[in-house]
Amino acid sequence: MFMFLFLVVALVVVVGAVTLSLVGGGDSGALPEVAPERLRDPLPLDRPLHRGDVEAVRFPLTLRGYRMADVDDALGRLGAELAERDDRIAGLEAALAGARSTAVASLEKPAEEDHR
């Protein structure tokens, strides 16, 4: 009997709350439309990225996680920066190897001339 009374009171409270919210929600009317939260790109466009730039990226949450477009844009930017750095490193390593071979060759020539 106690359980039945509890369920009836709970049902009355829920129906009353729903009725109040639908009928007499106040004088303010409907809530204003809110612009969706967008990623403010903290990744600088005028210089190469640093570790702190990547750590500072915070994606706004949506219903099912993060906005895929924001994440794709950030990952695309990071991928392009990494590819550019890899190309730069490969170019510098090739130039260094060329300079080393030239230096070794120039050091060997005088040594050969001294033996003659």
Side-chain angles (χ1 to χ4, degrees):
M1 178 68 179
F2 177 72
M3 184 64 130
F4 177 74
L5 222 66
F6 175 75
L7 290 175
V8 170
V9 170
L11 180 66
V12 169
V13 168
V14 169
V15 169
V18 169
T19 303
L20 277 175
S21 67
L22 291 177
V23 175
D27 296 330
S28 64
L31 292 175
E33 290 293 323
V34 176
E37 187 177 358
R38 301 288 300 191
L39 175 67
R40 290 182 303 242
D41 188 12
L43 300 176
L45 298 174
D46 58 340
R47 63 175 173 80
L49 296 177
H50 300 291
R51 180 180 178 161
D53 297 330
V54 176
E55 289 175 351
V57 173
R58 297 291 178 259
F59 298 105
L61 293 175
T62 61
L63 184 60
R64 294 184 349 174
Y66 299 108
R67 292 189 70 242
M68 286 192 293
D70 290 341
V71 175
D72 289 344
D73 291 344
L75 289 177
R77 171 82 190 280
L78 290 171
E81 291 263 342
L82 289 174
E84 183 179 321
R85 287 184 185 176
D86 289 345
D87 291 342
R88 176 83 173 136
I89 289 170
L92 290 173
E93 286 177 345
L96 181 62
R100 281 185 181 160
S101 65
T102 304
V104 168
S106 66
L107 289 176
E108 288 176 354
K109 280 187 180 179
E112 288 175 6
E113 291 175 3
D114 289 342
H115 291 316
R116 290 184 183 181

